[in-house]
Amino acid sequence: MARAACIVLLFIAVIRADPTCVTHHETDVVCTAGPTDHILVRGLVSENKKTTGITLRDCRITDVELEAFHHLPALEYIDLSSNKIRRLKLGVLDGFKKLQALNLSYNMLSKFPLGLFDQKPKLRMLDLKGNRFEEFELGVFDPLKKLKHVDLSSNAILGKNLNPYIFGQSRQIQSIDFSRNDMSNTPDLMLAAFENLDFLNLDRCSLNQVPRFATRLNLQTMKHLILSTNKITSLSNPKIFRHLIKLENLNFVANSIEKIHGDIFKPLKNIQLIFLNKNKIKVIPESLFRNLQHLNNVDLSKNRIESVPVNAFRGTNLKILNLSGNRFTYLQDNFYLELWNSGVRLSQFFFDDNPWQCSCLNDVLVEVKKYGILYRGDKYRGQRPVCVTNEFNCKRQSASNDYYSQMYDNTIL
Ligand SMILES: *[C@@H]1O[C@H](CO)[C@@H](O)[C@H](O)[C@H]1NC(C)=O
Ligand SMILES: *[C@@H]1O[C@H](CO)[C@@H](O)[C@H](O)[C@H]1NC(C)=O
């Protein structure tokens, strides 16, 4: 620790051209923008055998000259994010073969010349978020055999035009982000080369079904699958997730899901969290989550659920259940006790903004208080009406549901 405490060498070099660059610890060059747009030329950051990292974030760079990164043999990291670069010339990244991370996010790039990455065998991280890519030429990523993390989000990619083999040589990719592109009709073989995928983000990808390219056998290593903010209407194929046996987190927030097959989650033996909030689910099949031993967090809020089968949750490890914003007027008698008896130890339970019959709501409040479960207590202090009818008994009949929920809509909403 003596070393860490000892003098940190801060070597400051102010270089003539704008932007202004400062070198920290002799190895990390950090530049800040000058007053005008800038073409990056040889001389600003080039020619230094000690430099390992260069940060040119938000430096008003419009173009990069061929020798801008000349003679930087130790370079491992370049951040060129938030500039105005439209293209990178073939050869501009040649030399420096130790590069591990390249951040080109938030530029105006739409095309890479074939061969751009030929001398980048060690690249592990490539961030292309927020550019203008529509597609990529086959072969351009082929030299990147060590690639682990790729961010392609917020581009103009049309999945249906992608060549499925563009990442055919990058077998070690662990995380890939396609969010905010149009990935509908993407070829089934798109991710077929991956051997170690952990994280796949398909948020806002204009999908109207769970895409086949995301559920193939070779993706059985995946732990996180994000399919939020799409247009998926049904989860009716019980085999769709059959290969994803290691999946831990599954996110379907903000789709239009109405139908769910009771066995669809069955293969997900390691699932911990399933988010289905903001959909159009009316019916929860009795077998939906049953016996998913590691499942501890389920969000079903903001759906159209009219009855909640306690059986659906038996055999899970559920700790957090969110049923807010649905259409039920009662829960099964002793809902919590029933769960407890089947081994479920819920610690957080949210059930507000449903068209509750007052006596049924009261039954639930008695239970959550008795067992010390966290709930939205602030909703039930009498400031605002939260339930309907003064009838003394909770009517647990689905036939009465419509009657009470109408009453709720008319008097409370
Ligand atoms: C790339 O740069 C952007 C903008 O500066 C930053 O938000 C992002 O985290 C960086 N990417 C990585 C993978 O570090
Ligand atoms: C439960 O869902 C409601 C409605 O979507 C949301 O406002 C609330 O934050 C959620 N609670 C938790 C603890 O996730």
Side-chain angles (χ1 to χ4, degrees), residues 260 265 274-281 283-285 288-289 297-305 307-309 312-313 318 320-328 350 354:
I260 306 190
F265 300 136
I274 299 179
F275 282 177
L276 285 160
N277 37 318
K278 299 191 187 157
N279 278 283
K280 297 180 178 167
I281 302 166
V283 177
I284 312 260
L288 191 60
F289 306 107
N297 190 344
V298 171
D299 196 336
L300 286 162
S301 64
K302 298 203 170 164
N303 276 284
R304 298 174 182 172
I305 300 164
S307 92
V308 184
F313 305 99
L318 206 60
I320 307 175
L321 177 58
N322 195 340
L323 295 172
S324 302
N326 277 288
R327 300 299 298 160
F328 51 86
F350 306 100
N354 276 287

mmCIF file of all heavy atoms in Angstrom, residues 260 265 274-281 283-285 288-289 297-305 307-309 312-313 318 320-328 350 354:
data_model
loop_
_atom_site.group_PDB
_atom_site.id
_atom_site.type_symbol
_atom_site.label_atom_id
_atom_site.label_comp_id
_atom_site.label_asym_id
_atom_site.label_seq_id
_atom_site.Cartn_x
_atom_site.Cartn_y
_atom_site.Cartn_z
ATOM 1 N N ILE A 260 -50.822 -16.328 -22.471
ATOM 2 C CA ILE A 260 -49.599 -16.994 -22.017
ATOM 3 C C ILE A 260 -49.878 -18.472 -21.834
ATOM 4 O O ILE A 260 -50.842 -18.848 -21.147
ATOM 5 C CB ILE A 260 -49.105 -16.448 -20.658
ATOM 6 C CG1 ILE A 260 -48.938 -14.939 -20.709
ATOM 7 C CG2 ILE A 260 -47.795 -17.089 -20.265
ATOM 8 C CD1 ILE A 260 -48.240 -14.378 -19.486
ATOM 9 N N PHE A 265 -42.776 -21.090 -19.140
ATOM 10 C CA PHE A 265 -41.569 -20.815 -18.342
ATOM 11 C C PHE A 265 -40.949 -22.088 -17.744
ATOM 12 O O PHE A 265 -39.904 -22.025 -17.110
ATOM 13 C CB PHE A 265 -41.880 -19.815 -17.215
ATOM 14 C CG PHE A 265 -42.391 -18.477 -17.709
ATOM 15 C CD1 PHE A 265 -43.472 -17.856 -17.088
ATOM 16 C CD2 PHE A 265 -41.792 -17.832 -18.785
ATOM 17 C CE1 PHE A 265 -43.938 -16.624 -17.535
ATOM 18 C CE2 PHE A 265 -42.258 -16.605 -19.235
ATOM 19 C CZ PHE A 265 -43.339 -15.994 -18.611
ATOM 20 N N ILE A 274 -38.972 -12.492 -13.277
ATOM 21 C CA ILE A 274 -39.764 -12.388 -14.502
ATOM 22 C C ILE A 274 -40.590 -11.110 -14.421
ATOM 23 O O ILE A 274 -41.407 -10.947 -13.506
ATOM 24 C CB ILE A 274 -40.702 -13.609 -14.691
ATOM 25 C CG1 ILE A 274 -39.886 -14.904 -14.810
ATOM 26 C CG2 ILE A 274 -41.571 -13.435 -15.942
ATOM 27 C CD1 ILE A 274 -40.716 -16.173 -14.968
ATOM 28 N N PHE A 275 -40.358 -10.206 -15.352
ATOM 29 C CA PHE A 275 -41.117 -8.959 -15.400
ATOM 30 C C PHE A 275 -42.106 -9.010 -16.552
ATOM 31 O O PHE A 275 -41.707 -9.110 -17.718
ATOM 32 C CB PHE A 275 -40.176 -7.763 -15.579
ATOM 33 C CG PHE A 275 -39.476 -7.345 -14.313
ATOM 34 C CD1 PHE A 275 -38.541 -6.310 -14.343
ATOM 35 C CD2 PHE A 275 -39.750 -7.942 -13.094
ATOM 36 C CE1 PHE A 275 -37.888 -5.911 -13.176
ATOM 37 C CE2 PHE A 275 -39.103 -7.559 -11.930
ATOM 38 C CZ PHE A 275 -38.174 -6.527 -11.970
ATOM 39 N N LEU A 276 -43.375 -8.947 -16.197
ATOM 40 C CA LEU A 276 -44.440 -8.971 -17.209
ATOM 41 C C LEU A 276 -45.333 -7.743 -17.061
ATOM 42 O O LEU A 276 -46.461 -7.724 -17.563
ATOM 43 C CB LEU A 276 -45.284 -10.238 -17.044
ATOM 44 C CG LEU A 276 -44.664 -11.553 -17.528
ATOM 45 C CD1 LEU A 276 -45.339 -12.749 -16.890
ATOM 46 C CD2 LEU A 276 -44.743 -11.647 -19.053
ATOM 47 N N ASN A 277 -44.855 -6.740 -16.330
ATOM 48 C CA ASN A 277 -45.704 -5.569 -16.099
ATOM 49 C C ASN A 277 -45.955 -4.789 -17.384
ATOM 50 O O ASN A 277 -45.200 -4.881 -18.339
ATOM 51 C CB ASN A 277 -45.120 -4.663 -14.998
ATOM 52 C CG ASN A 277 -43.633 -4.557 -14.976
ATOM 53 O OD1 ASN A 277 -42.936 -5.546 -15.143
ATOM 54 N ND2 ASN A 277 -43.120 -3.370 -14.792
ATOM 55 N N LYS A 278 -47.058 -4.055 -17.378
ATOM 56 C CA LYS A 278 -47.499 -3.261 -18.530
ATOM 57 C C LYS A 278 -47.763 -4.130 -19.751
ATOM 58 O O LYS A 278 -47.151 -3.944 -20.812
ATOM 59 C CB LYS A 278 -46.488 -2.171 -18.869
ATOM 60 C CG LYS A 278 -46.290 -1.189 -17.730
ATOM 61 C CD LYS A 278 -45.511 0.016 -18.180
ATOM 62 C CE LYS A 278 -45.173 0.900 -17.014
ATOM 63 N NZ LYS A 278 -44.033 1.748 -17.261
ATOM 64 N N ASN A 279 -48.619 -5.114 -19.575
ATOM 65 C CA ASN A 279 -49.085 -5.904 -20.704
ATOM 66 C C ASN A 279 -50.606 -5.957 -20.643
ATOM 67 O O ASN A 279 -51.226 -5.087 -20.012
ATOM 68 C CB ASN A 279 -48.443 -7.291 -20.665
ATOM 69 C CG ASN A 279 -47.050 -7.273 -21.267
ATOM 70 O OD1 ASN A 279 -46.903 -7.236 -22.473
ATOM 71 N ND2 ASN A 279 -46.017 -7.274 -20.424
ATOM 72 N N LYS A 280 -51.200 -6.942 -21.305
ATOM 73 C CA LYS A 280 -52.665 -7.015 -21.338
ATOM 74 C C LYS A 280 -53.151 -8.371 -20.833
ATOM 75 O O LYS A 280 -54.149 -8.907 -21.303
ATOM 76 C CB LYS A 280 -53.155 -6.803 -22.769
ATOM 77 C CG LYS A 280 -52.809 -5.422 -23.307
ATOM 78 C CD LYS A 280 -53.313 -5.224 -24.723
ATOM 79 C CE LYS A 280 -52.992 -3.819 -25.210
ATOM 80 N NZ LYS A 280 -53.181 -3.697 -26.663
ATOM 81 N N ILE A 281 -52.415 -8.895 -19.868
ATOM 82 C CA ILE A 281 -52.725 -10.238 -19.368
ATOM 83 C C ILE A 281 -54.004 -10.216 -18.528
ATOM 84 O O ILE A 281 -54.150 -9.399 -17.628
ATOM 85 C CB ILE A 281 -51.554 -10.767 -18.508
ATOM 86 C CG1 ILE A 281 -50.267 -10.774 -19.338
ATOM 87 C CG2 ILE A 281 -51.870 -12.144 -17.956
ATOM 88 C CD1 ILE A 281 -49.012 -10.948 -18.512
ATOM 89 N N VAL A 283 -55.567 -13.524 -17.738
ATOM 90 C CA VAL A 283 -55.629 -14.803 -17.024
ATOM 91 C C VAL A 283 -54.224 -15.323 -16.758
ATOM 92 O O VAL A 283 -53.382 -15.357 -17.653
ATOM 93 C CB VAL A 283 -56.400 -15.839 -17.874
ATOM 94 C CG1 VAL A 283 -56.409 -17.197 -17.190
ATOM 95 C CG2 VAL A 283 -57.817 -15.354 -18.140
ATOM 96 N N ILE A 284 -53.970 -15.682 -15.492
ATOM 97 C CA ILE A 284 -52.701 -16.320 -15.146
ATOM 98 C C ILE A 284 -52.960 -17.822 -15.077
ATOM 99 O O ILE A 284 -53.699 -18.277 -14.198
ATOM 100 C CB ILE A 284 -52.237 -15.890 -13.742
ATOM 101 C CG1 ILE A 284 -52.325 -14.397 -13.579
ATOM 102 C CG2 ILE A 284 -50.868 -16.457 -13.407
ATOM 103 C CD1 ILE A 284 -51.053 -13.703 -13.735
ATOM 104 N N PRO A 285 -52.361 -18.610 -15.940
ATOM 105 C CA PRO A 285 -52.563 -20.055 -15.858
ATOM 106 C C PRO A 285 -52.048 -20.590 -14.511
ATOM 107 O O PRO A 285 -51.054 -20.087 -13.988
ATOM 108 C CB PRO A 285 -51.711 -20.605 -17.009
ATOM 109 C CG PRO A 285 -51.477 -19.443 -17.929
ATOM 110 C CD PRO A 285 -51.488 -18.223 -17.067
ATOM 111 N N LEU A 288 -48.326 -21.437 -14.242
ATOM 112 C CA LEU A 288 -47.379 -20.525 -14.898
ATOM 113 C C LEU A 288 -46.000 -20.456 -14.244
ATOM 114 O O LEU A 288 -44.985 -20.540 -14.923
ATOM 115 C CB LEU A 288 -47.974 -19.121 -15.032
ATOM 116 C CG LEU A 288 -47.179 -18.181 -15.938
ATOM 117 C CD1 LEU A 288 -47.080 -18.734 -17.358
ATOM 118 C CD2 LEU A 288 -47.799 -16.786 -15.964
ATOM 119 N N PHE A 289 -45.957 -20.261 -12.935
ATOM 120 C CA PHE A 289 -44.647 -20.117 -12.276
ATOM 121 C C PHE A 289 -44.317 -21.315 -11.385
ATOM 122 O O PHE A 289 -43.268 -21.353 -10.757
ATOM 123 C CB PHE A 289 -44.633 -18.852 -11.412
ATOM 124 C CG PHE A 289 -45.026 -17.600 -12.144
ATOM 125 C CD1 PHE A 289 -46.253 -16.995 -11.920
ATOM 126 C CD2 PHE A 289 -44.169 -17.021 -13.075
ATOM 127 C CE1 PHE A 289 -46.617 -15.840 -12.596
ATOM 128 C CE2 PHE A 289 -44.527 -15.870 -13.758
ATOM 129 C CZ PHE A 289 -45.759 -15.276 -13.519
ATOM 130 N N ASN A 297 -38.768 -12.943 -7.835
ATOM 131 C CA ASN A 297 -39.343 -11.623 -8.089
ATOM 132 C C ASN A 297 -40.225 -11.679 -9.334
ATOM 133 O O ASN A 297 -39.740 -11.989 -10.419
ATOM 134 C CB ASN A 297 -38.180 -10.633 -8.284
ATOM 135 C CG ASN A 297 -38.631 -9.184 -8.324
ATOM 136 O OD1 ASN A 297 -39.811 -8.886 -8.508
ATOM 137 N ND2 ASN A 297 -37.673 -8.276 -8.164
ATOM 138 N N VAL A 298 -41.528 -11.410 -9.137
ATOM 139 C CA VAL A 298 -42.452 -11.422 -10.273
ATOM 140 C C VAL A 298 -43.209 -10.095 -10.291
ATOM 141 O O VAL A 298 -43.814 -9.708 -9.296
ATOM 142 C CB VAL A 298 -43.461 -12.589 -10.169
ATOM 143 C CG1 VAL A 298 -44.548 -12.468 -11.236
ATOM 144 C CG2 VAL A 298 -42.743 -13.934 -10.319
ATOM 145 N N ASP A 299 -43.149 -9.415 -11.400
ATOM 146 C CA ASP A 299 -43.916 -8.181 -11.542
ATOM 147 C C ASP A 299 -45.007 -8.387 -12.578
ATOM 148 O O ASP A 299 -44.719 -8.602 -13.758
ATOM 149 C CB ASP A 299 -42.999 -7.014 -11.932
ATOM 150 C CG ASP A 299 -43.684 -5.662 -11.702
ATOM 151 O OD1 ASP A 299 -44.934 -5.625 -11.690
ATOM 152 O OD2 ASP A 299 -42.972 -4.645 -11.527
ATOM 153 N N LEU A 300 -46.250 -8.341 -12.108
ATOM 154 C CA LEU A 300 -47.406 -8.501 -12.998
ATOM 155 C C LEU A 300 -48.262 -7.236 -12.965
ATOM 156 O O LEU A 300 -49.431 -7.252 -13.348
ATOM 157 C CB LEU A 300 -48.250 -9.692 -12.537
ATOM 158 C CG LEU A 300 -47.690 -11.083 -12.827
ATOM 159 C CD1 LEU A 300 -48.352 -12.136 -11.968
ATOM 160 C CD2 LEU A 300 -47.860 -11.425 -14.313
ATOM 161 N N SER A 301 -47.668 -6.136 -12.488
ATOM 162 C CA SER A 301 -48.461 -4.916 -12.335
ATOM 163 C C SER A 301 -48.889 -4.362 -13.683
ATOM 164 O O SER A 301 -48.284 -4.637 -14.712
ATOM 165 C CB SER A 301 -47.662 -3.879 -11.544
ATOM 166 O OG SER A 301 -46.514 -3.484 -12.254
ATOM 167 N N LYS A 302 -49.957 -3.567 -13.654
ATOM 168 C CA LYS A 302 -50.483 -2.936 -14.863
ATOM 169 C C LYS A 302 -50.804 -3.934 -15.964
ATOM 170 O O LYS A 302 -50.306 -3.841 -17.082
ATOM 171 C CB LYS A 302 -49.533 -1.845 -15.355
ATOM 172 C CG LYS A 302 -49.373 -0.744 -14.324
ATOM 173 C CD LYS A 302 -48.924 0.555 -14.905
ATOM 174 C CE LYS A 302 -49.014 1.654 -13.869
ATOM 175 N NZ LYS A 302 -48.285 2.848 -14.208
ATOM 176 N N ASN A 303 -51.602 -4.917 -15.591
ATOM 177 C CA ASN A 303 -52.190 -5.820 -16.567
ATOM 178 C C ASN A 303 -53.706 -5.770 -16.385
ATOM 179 O O ASN A 303 -54.222 -4.767 -15.856
ATOM 180 C CB ASN A 303 -51.631 -7.233 -16.374
ATOM 181 C CG ASN A 303 -50.301 -7.407 -17.087
ATOM 182 O OD1 ASN A 303 -50.264 -7.547 -18.297
ATOM 183 N ND2 ASN A 303 -49.199 -7.377 -16.334
ATOM 184 N N ARG A 304 -54.408 -6.816 -16.816
ATOM 185 C CA ARG A 304 -55.870 -6.823 -16.690
ATOM 186 C C ARG A 304 -56.325 -8.069 -15.942
ATOM 187 O O ARG A 304 -57.371 -8.639 -16.229
ATOM 188 C CB ARG A 304 -56.495 -6.800 -18.076
ATOM 189 C CG ARG A 304 -56.127 -5.529 -18.827
ATOM 190 C CD ARG A 304 -56.616 -5.532 -20.243
ATOM 191 N NE ARG A 304 -56.188 -4.318 -20.913
ATOM 192 C CZ ARG A 304 -56.341 -4.101 -22.220
ATOM 193 N NH1 ARG A 304 -56.915 -5.027 -22.974
ATOM 194 N NH2 ARG A 304 -55.928 -2.969 -22.758
ATOM 195 N N ILE A 305 -55.508 -8.459 -14.969
ATOM 196 C CA ILE A 305 -55.751 -9.714 -14.265
ATOM 197 C C ILE A 305 -56.996 -9.614 -13.387
ATOM 198 O O ILE A 305 -57.121 -8.692 -12.584
ATOM 199 C CB ILE A 305 -54.523 -10.078 -13.402
ATOM 200 C CG1 ILE A 305 -53.299 -10.236 -14.302
ATOM 201 C CG2 ILE A 305 -54.783 -11.329 -12.589
ATOM 202 C CD1 ILE A 305 -51.979 -10.224 -13.559
ATOM 203 N N SER A 307 -58.322 -12.541 -11.739
ATOM 204 C CA SER A 307 -58.216 -13.417 -10.563
ATOM 205 C C SER A 307 -56.797 -13.968 -10.494
ATOM 206 O O SER A 307 -56.136 -14.144 -11.518
ATOM 207 C CB SER A 307 -59.267 -14.524 -10.621
ATOM 208 O OG SER A 307 -58.741 -15.658 -11.238
ATOM 209 N N VAL A 308 -56.341 -14.174 -9.252
ATOM 210 C CA VAL A 308 -54.952 -14.559 -9.045
ATOM 211 C C VAL A 308 -54.891 -15.955 -8.434
ATOM 212 O O VAL A 308 -55.222 -16.129 -7.263
ATOM 213 C CB VAL A 308 -54.248 -13.560 -8.093
ATOM 214 C CG1 VAL A 308 -52.783 -13.908 -7.956
ATOM 215 C CG2 VAL A 308 -54.419 -12.130 -8.585
ATOM 216 N N PRO A 309 -54.528 -16.956 -9.200
ATOM 217 C CA PRO A 309 -54.483 -18.308 -8.650
ATOM 218 C C PRO A 309 -53.245 -18.504 -7.782
ATOM 219 O O PRO A 309 -52.119 -18.384 -8.261
ATOM 220 C CB PRO A 309 -54.418 -19.203 -9.896
ATOM 221 C CG PRO A 309 -53.817 -18.345 -10.954
ATOM 222 C CD PRO A 309 -54.092 -16.908 -10.608
ATOM 223 N N ALA A 312 -50.393 -20.827 -8.869
ATOM 224 C CA ALA A 312 -49.395 -20.454 -9.873
ATOM 225 C C ALA A 312 -48.034 -20.188 -9.250
ATOM 226 O O ALA A 312 -47.011 -20.233 -9.928
ATOM 227 C CB ALA A 312 -49.878 -19.236 -10.650
ATOM 228 N N PHE A 313 -48.026 -19.878 -7.937
ATOM 229 C CA PHE A 313 -46.768 -19.480 -7.289
ATOM 230 C C PHE A 313 -46.195 -20.550 -6.362
ATOM 231 O O PHE A 313 -45.143 -20.366 -5.762
ATOM 232 C CB PHE A 313 -46.985 -18.182 -6.497
ATOM 233 C CG PHE A 313 -47.546 -17.065 -7.332
ATOM 234 C CD1 PHE A 313 -48.902 -16.769 -7.315
ATOM 235 C CD2 PHE A 313 -46.719 -16.325 -8.165
ATOM 236 C CE1 PHE A 313 -49.422 -15.757 -8.095
ATOM 237 C CE2 PHE A 313 -47.236 -15.313 -8.954
ATOM 238 C CZ PHE A 313 -48.594 -15.019 -8.921
ATOM 239 N N LEU A 318 -40.507 -17.197 -4.131
ATOM 240 C CA LEU A 318 -40.967 -15.822 -4.314
ATOM 241 C C LEU A 318 -40.769 -14.959 -3.078
ATOM 242 O O LEU A 318 -41.180 -15.313 -1.973
ATOM 243 C CB LEU A 318 -42.453 -15.857 -4.696
ATOM 244 C CG LEU A 318 -42.964 -14.665 -5.504
ATOM 245 C CD1 LEU A 318 -42.220 -14.553 -6.819
ATOM 246 C CD2 LEU A 318 -44.461 -14.792 -5.747
ATOM 247 N N ILE A 320 -40.748 -11.185 -3.793
ATOM 248 C CA ILE A 320 -41.390 -9.935 -4.190
ATOM 249 C C ILE A 320 -42.446 -10.227 -5.253
ATOM 250 O O ILE A 320 -42.147 -10.842 -6.276
ATOM 251 C CB ILE A 320 -40.355 -8.953 -4.782
ATOM 252 C CG1 ILE A 320 -39.184 -8.768 -3.813
ATOM 253 C CG2 ILE A 320 -41.004 -7.618 -5.125
ATOM 254 C CD1 ILE A 320 -38.062 -7.917 -4.379
ATOM 255 N N LEU A 321 -43.679 -9.800 -4.960
ATOM 256 C CA LEU A 321 -44.762 -9.998 -5.926
ATOM 257 C C LEU A 321 -45.495 -8.676 -6.113
ATOM 258 O O LEU A 321 -45.977 -8.084 -5.142
ATOM 259 C CB LEU A 321 -45.732 -11.076 -5.414
ATOM 260 C CG LEU A 321 -46.971 -11.362 -6.277
ATOM 261 C CD1 LEU A 321 -46.594 -11.771 -7.687
ATOM 262 C CD2 LEU A 321 -47.848 -12.436 -5.620
ATOM 263 N N ASN A 322 -45.554 -8.209 -7.350
ATOM 264 C CA ASN A 322 -46.247 -6.949 -7.627
ATOM 265 C C ASN A 322 -47.478 -7.227 -8.479
ATOM 266 O O ASN A 322 -47.368 -7.628 -9.629
ATOM 267 C CB ASN A 322 -45.298 -5.973 -8.340
ATOM 268 C CG ASN A 322 -45.842 -4.547 -8.307
ATOM 269 O OD1 ASN A 322 -47.034 -4.340 -8.098
ATOM 270 N ND2 ASN A 322 -44.957 -3.580 -8.527
ATOM 271 N N LEU A 323 -48.654 -6.982 -7.863
ATOM 272 C CA LEU A 323 -49.929 -7.194 -8.568
ATOM 273 C C LEU A 323 -50.704 -5.878 -8.689
ATOM 274 O O LEU A 323 -51.910 -5.871 -8.945
ATOM 275 C CB LEU A 323 -50.783 -8.211 -7.802
ATOM 276 C CG LEU A 323 -50.257 -9.649 -7.697
ATOM 277 C CD1 LEU A 323 -51.117 -10.465 -6.741
ATOM 278 C CD2 LEU A 323 -50.223 -10.310 -9.073
ATOM 279 N N SER A 324 -49.999 -4.752 -8.503
ATOM 280 C CA SER A 324 -50.664 -3.448 -8.566
ATOM 281 C C SER A 324 -51.269 -3.193 -9.938
ATOM 282 O O SER A 324 -50.782 -3.676 -10.947
ATOM 283 C CB SER A 324 -49.653 -2.329 -8.322
ATOM 284 O OG SER A 324 -49.038 -2.483 -7.097
ATOM 285 N N GLY A 325 -52.332 -2.401 -9.936
ATOM 286 C CA GLY A 325 -52.872 -1.925 -11.218
ATOM 287 C C GLY A 325 -53.481 -3.004 -12.074
ATOM 288 O O GLY A 325 -53.271 -3.035 -13.283
ATOM 289 N N ASN A 326 -54.229 -3.922 -11.447
ATOM 290 C CA ASN A 326 -54.930 -4.939 -12.221
ATOM 291 C C ASN A 326 -56.432 -4.787 -12.043
ATOM 292 O O ASN A 326 -56.910 -3.701 -11.697
ATOM 293 C CB ASN A 326 -54.418 -6.324 -11.831
ATOM 294 C CG ASN A 326 -53.136 -6.662 -12.574
ATOM 295 O OD1 ASN A 326 -53.175 -6.926 -13.770
ATOM 296 N ND2 ASN A 326 -52.002 -6.606 -11.876
ATOM 297 N N ARG A 327 -57.187 -5.874 -12.292
ATOM 298 C CA ARG A 327 -58.647 -5.780 -12.298
ATOM 299 C C ARG A 327 -59.305 -6.783 -11.370
ATOM 300 O O ARG A 327 -60.415 -7.222 -11.636
ATOM 301 C CB ARG A 327 -59.166 -5.997 -13.737
ATOM 302 C CG ARG A 327 -58.664 -5.016 -14.776
ATOM 303 C CD ARG A 327 -59.038 -3.577 -14.516
ATOM 304 N NE ARG A 327 -60.468 -3.345 -14.504
ATOM 305 C CZ ARG A 327 -61.053 -2.293 -13.936
ATOM 306 N NH1 ARG A 327 -60.319 -1.375 -13.341
ATOM 307 N NH2 ARG A 327 -62.350 -2.162 -13.952
ATOM 308 N N PHE A 328 -58.629 -7.142 -10.272
ATOM 309 C CA PHE A 328 -59.304 -8.082 -9.369
ATOM 310 C C PHE A 328 -59.941 -7.345 -8.186
ATOM 311 O O PHE A 328 -59.444 -6.302 -7.770
ATOM 312 C CB PHE A 328 -58.379 -9.213 -8.899
ATOM 313 C CG PHE A 328 -57.068 -8.782 -8.334
ATOM 314 C CD1 PHE A 328 -56.946 -8.455 -6.995
ATOM 315 C CD2 PHE A 328 -55.932 -8.721 -9.141
ATOM 316 C CE1 PHE A 328 -55.714 -8.071 -6.467
ATOM 317 C CE2 PHE A 328 -54.694 -8.341 -8.617
ATOM 318 C CZ PHE A 328 -54.589 -8.013 -7.286
ATOM 319 N N PHE A 350 -47.270 -6.136 -3.346
ATOM 320 C CA PHE A 350 -47.931 -4.895 -3.775
ATOM 321 C C PHE A 350 -49.212 -5.233 -4.511
ATOM 322 O O PHE A 350 -49.207 -6.033 -5.445
ATOM 323 C CB PHE A 350 -46.984 -4.079 -4.653
ATOM 324 C CG PHE A 350 -45.669 -3.834 -3.972
ATOM 325 C CD1 PHE A 350 -44.551 -4.602 -4.286
ATOM 326 C CD2 PHE A 350 -45.568 -2.884 -2.970
ATOM 327 C CE1 PHE A 350 -43.348 -4.421 -3.623
ATOM 328 C CE2 PHE A 350 -44.363 -2.693 -2.298
ATOM 329 C CZ PHE A 350 -43.253 -3.466 -2.626
ATOM 330 N N ASN A 354 -56.203 -1.750 -7.442
ATOM 331 C CA ASN A 354 -57.123 -2.738 -7.986
ATOM 332 C C ASN A 354 -58.528 -2.344 -7.539
ATOM 333 O O ASN A 354 -58.681 -1.614 -6.555
ATOM 334 C CB ASN A 354 -56.767 -4.142 -7.472
ATOM 335 C CG ASN A 354 -55.671 -4.767 -8.317
ATOM 336 O OD1 ASN A 354 -55.902 -5.169 -9.448
ATOM 337 N ND2 ASN A 354 -54.456 -4.826 -7.763
#
